[in-house]
Amino acid sequence: MKFFISLVFLSLTLVANEGLIKKAYEANMKPIPKSNKELKKLIDDPKNPITKDKVELGKILYFDPRLSKSNLISCNTCHNLGIGGTDGLAAAIGDNWQANPMHLNSPTVYNSALAYMQFYDGRSPHLADQAKGPMTTSFEMAIAPSELEQKIQKIKGYKKLFEKAYGKNTKITFDLIAQTIAIFEKTLITPSRFDDFMHGDTKALSQNEQKGLETFLAKGCANCHRNEALGGLMRYFDTRGKYTFRTVGGFEGNDNKLVKVPTLRNISRTAPYFHNGMVWNLKEAVFEMAKVQLSISMSDKEASEIVDFLHSLDGEIKSINYPMLPR
Amino acid sequence: MKFFISLVFLSLTLVANEGLIKKAYEANMKPIPKSNKELKKLIDDPKNPITKDKVELGKILYFDPRLSKSNLISCNTCHNLGIGGTDGLAAAIGDNWQANPMHLNSPTVYNSALAYMQFYDGRSPHLADQAKGPMTTSFEMAIAPSELEQKIQKIKGYKKLFEKAYGKNTKITFDLIAQTIAIFEKTLITPSRFDDFMHGDTKALSQNEQKGLETFLAKGCANCHRNEALGGLMRYFDTRGKYTFRTVGGFEGNDNKLVKVPTLRNISRTAPYFHNGMVWNLKEAVFEMAKVQLSISMSDKEASEIVDFLHSLDGEIKSINYPMLPR
């Protein structure tokens, strides 16, 4: 009898789980594809496809501070792979210790390849285009494309690495440097227990986390935090309620007042939150969203449930061998 | 007959090689010990001996920018393990983009454990003491010891790592942080072909490199570049000739006008040269030394020979797994 009850309970739980998975799919939440082939459909560029040699070269470029005018700032300075792909600062600091003039926060590079657009105002369609921004912006890496090309072309080790990745006599251009960095960044995808759950492993999320996902869906969070990126698309910001720190930095989105939705993947690792990095606590960020985007009241219990779920988005970060930079 | 001649030639070469090894030892040039036990005698501190867990923790601290007031500068910023353990800048740049006020150049961290004293004025006896300098200096990482302690104590992941390395309820102090960083740095020893040669592998150096070592010894370079560090002790600087860039930065050594001799290990990877980083070319640096320290004329051929030898000091750098920083 006891066994029978257990069996019924287990079946009901499984049904409940599967119902939750279905609901999440219906709300357009999507897992990172399991197969490399499917993942590549999302992130690879047939014009310059991912290869092992390009990834290795892209990693070296990513860590090389010589890509900045000062020789001191690398991509990894602000998108530090050891700190969730961010810098842990409210507003980014760049060349000559200049803070971002709009008090913009460095977004995580992890899973950025899954986003539909890049930058908070969505002005860039993909990472190969995006990477050019920080390199050349005066308050970030501050280097002119021609200066960068000359510098990299002069380093013999780079000549070899570009030829290995792209063939003999490859011309090292600003475009190709940016594309190659993007190719490395495309490998920074971090599947999490949420993805296992969505692929049918109903035990991948704890009961608390499943409860959190239920609440997340019920409140409408997936209206913005959807697709594989659980974000990465454009939405109106704070039109339903006033963001507490609206005035800090003066950023108001693109011409249509649209703002890119940050990914929720690894969110527990990427504080502080929001475009101007003014909120350090994850639960506080959830409350802020309830007010600003959903115009709903949220109980402390509900916010905690959502935070529980968000922790299930902590992804698996592949180990990275620190590169020795060519001379 | 031909075979016999070859044999005689080979024997003579071997004798010559062994003579050169002997001469180098007599000039107090020493290889990095082959055995771990012998190496530990040189670098380990019995009061806080090297262990695997401490090394791993020390590496994490070394890469963690939260050890600075700004949360943006780590040990690795100025002693970048991908750039020969230096920053590749003439003068170090630190907190708030301040350049070193004496225009001092960041020395390499590789093999720094072999030096008899630390800092250009030799004011520090060992790395565990040295590490405190950059962390607290206003134009470097600019953090107060108490602030650092509080910050690190608050990070739960660090509590676990310190307990794993040092035992339950270990108090995370400024001293212990510095000691642990030093323990990681002690593992950054890079044996080179020169060491193989000194251990008797007479083929480890090419004929050109051996010729270079002959010239190096004949000119008296080993008067300063000696011991395992091939440097790392105090000597008068530019007393015999005027250093071309003497006026840049105003550094004149310690109270007795003594300056720490930089290590020659990995010298081809650590440009620019000298305490104020004013010379970018290795051959030019050799000429400068001939003038300034030895007061001798040196032919272009001799300088080239020495440069050939110096390349044999490029050490083997162990691969480093980029650490994920605790939260």
Side-chain angles (χ1 to χ4, degrees), chain B residues 84-151:
Chain B
T86 69
D87 52 16
L89 304 178
I93 288 178
D95 190 65
N96 209 17
W97 212 264
Q98 293 172 84
N100 184 291
M102 301 197 95
H103 209 279
L104 290 176
N105 173 262
S106 304
T108 179
V109 66
Y110 284 112
N111 304 295
S112 57
L114 299 172
Y116 289 175
M117 50 271 299
Q118 304 294 335
F119 294 118
Y120 286 110
D121 62 2
R123 68 184 180 276
S124 175
H126 49 60
L127 289 173
D129 180 76
Q130 182 279 336
K132 295 179 183 178
M135 285 195 273
T136 54
T137 301
S138 65
F139 47 82
E140 300 190 16
M141 294 163 80
I143 199 164
S146 59
E147 188 189 343
L148 176 61
E149 286 173 350
Q150 281 167 29
K151 216 200 264 188

Side-chain angles (χ1 to χ4, degrees), chain A residues 9-251:
Chain A
F9 182 74
L10 184 69
S11 306
L12 285 172
T13 313
L14 280 179
V15 170
N17 284 336
E18 278 165 14
L20 179 56
I21 293 172
K22 201 174 157 224
K23 267 199 266 180
Y25 273 106
E26 281 168 1
N28 282 309
M29 294 179 82
K30 293 178 192 165
I32 293 166
K34 257 185 183 173
S35 84
N36 217 16
K37 200 179 150 192
E38 289 301 309
L39 178 58
K40 278 200 175 170
K41 277 189 199 164
L42 286 180
I43 60 173
D44 205 11
D45 175 4
K47 284 186 211 148
N48 189 1
I50 301 169
T51 67
K52 209 182 142 198
D53 288 336
K54 292 178 203 169
V55 170
E56 186 55 32
L57 172 56
K59 183 179 81 172
I60 291 169
L61 290 164
Y62 188 88
F63 276 100
D64 196 337
R66 291 172 299 183
L67 266 62
S68 65
K69 181 179 148 201
S70 65
N71 294 313
L72 199 62
I73 302 175
S74 70
C75 304
N76 192 62
T77 302
C78 296
H79 305 282
N80 192 320
L81 299 181
I83 321 183
T86 69
D87 52 17
L89 304 178
I93 288 178
D95 189 66
N96 208 17
W97 212 264
Q98 294 172 85
N100 184 290
M102 301 198 95
H103 209 278
L104 290 176
N105 173 262
S106 304
T108 179
V109 67
Y110 284 112
N111 304 295
S112 57
L114 298 172
Y116 289 175
M117 50 271 297
Q118 303 295 335
F119 294 120
Y120 286 110
D121 62 3
R123 68 183 179 277
S124 175
H126 49 60
L127 289 173
D129 180 76
Q130 183 277 338
K132 294 179 184 178
M135 284 194 275
T136 53
T137 301
S138 64
F139 47 82
E140 300 190 16
M141 293 163 80
I143 198 163
S146 59
E147 188 189 343
L148 176 61
E149 286 174 349
Q150 281 166 29
K151 215 199 265 189
I152 299 300
Q153 283 163 4
K154 262 194 215 158
I155 298 169
K156 279 181 200 162
Y158 270 124
K159 188 173 152 55
K160 273 188 203 165
L161 290 165
F162 271 94
E163 293 199 338
K164 197 174 170 206
Y166 291 105
K168 266 253 162 210
N169 296 318
T170 295
K171 188 149 194 257
I172 301 176
T173 63
F174 181 52
D175 265 7
L176 195 59
I177 291 168
Q179 282 174 37
T180 311
I181 292 170
I183 287 172
F184 167 62
E185 292 173 335
K186 287 175 183 181
T187 66
L188 301 173
I189 304 287
T190 69
S192 67
R193 289 183 293 109
F194 166 74
D195 300 285
D196 294 339
F197 182 74
M198 292 292 278
H199 288 303
D201 176 1
T202 50
K203 284 179 186 161
L205 297 193
S206 71
Q207 287 301 316
N208 276 352
E209 288 162 350
Q210 291 185 39
K211 185 80 188 90
L213 175 54
E214 289 271 12
T215 309
F216 184 92
L217 290 165
K219 297 293 175 186
C221 306
N223 285 338
C224 297
H225 296 287
R226 56 168 56 191
N227 300 328
E228 291 83 359
L230 307 176
L233 36 69
M234 304 302 288
R235 285 287 188 266
Y236 291 110
F237 184 70
D238 83 346
T239 48
R240 298 190 167 196
K242 197 177 164 222
Y243 173 48
T244 308
F245 305 97
R246 188 191 270 182
T247 55
V248 177
F251 176 75

Side-chain angles (χ1 to χ4, degrees), chain B residues 135-304:
Chain B
M135 285 195 273
T136 54
T137 301
S138 65
F139 47 82
E140 300 190 16
M141 294 163 80
I143 199 164
S146 59
E147 188 189 343
L148 176 61
E149 286 173 350
Q150 281 167 29
K151 216 200 264 188
I152 299 300
Q153 284 164 4
K154 262 194 214 157
I155 298 169
K156 279 181 200 163
Y158 269 125
K159 187 173 153 53
K160 274 189 204 165
L161 289 166
F162 271 94
E163 293 198 338
K164 198 176 169 204
Y166 291 104
K168 265 253 163 211
N169 297 318
T170 295
K171 190 151 193 256
I172 301 176
T173 62
F174 180 52
D175 265 7
L176 195 59
I177 291 168
Q179 282 174 38
T180 311
I181 292 170
I183 287 172
F184 168 61
E185 291 173 336
K186 287 175 183 181
T187 66
L188 302 173
I189 303 287
T190 69
S192 67
R193 290 183 293 109
F194 167 73
D195 300 286
D196 295 339
F197 183 75
M198 293 291 279
H199 287 304
D201 176 2
T202 49
K203 286 180 185 161
L205 298 193
S206 71
Q207 288 301 317
N208 276 353
E209 288 163 349
Q210 290 185 37
K211 184 81 187 93
L213 175 54
E214 290 271 13
T215 308
F216 183 92
L217 290 166
K219 296 292 176 188
C221 307
N223 285 338
C224 297
H225 296 287
R226 55 168 57 191
N227 300 327
E228 292 83 359
L230 306 175
L233 36 70
M234 304 304 287
R235 285 288 188 266
Y236 291 110
F237 184 69
D238 82 346
T239 48
R240 296 193 168 192
K242 199 179 162 218
Y243 173 48
T244 307
F245 305 97
R246 188 192 271 182
T247 56
V248 176
F251 176 75
E252 295 194 342
N254 68 10
D255 289 347
N256 300 315
K257 305 268 175 194
L258 291 164
V259 175
K260 187 183 156 201
V261 182
T263 178
L264 289 183
R265 294 186 176 277
N266 301 302
I267 194 76
S268 86
R269 297 164 171 161
T270 62
Y273 303 113
F274 302 117
H275 61 276
N276 55 8
M278 290 302 289
V279 176
W280 287 85
N281 180 283
L282 191 48
K283 198 164 155 187
E284 202 180 318
V286 171
F287 277 125
E288 195 69 27
M289 285 285 91
K291 179 181 77 175
V292 162
Q293 296 298 89
L294 301 164
S295 192
I296 53 171
S297 62
M298 188 175 280
S299 71
D300 193 79
K301 186 169 163 283
E302 288 166 334
S304 293

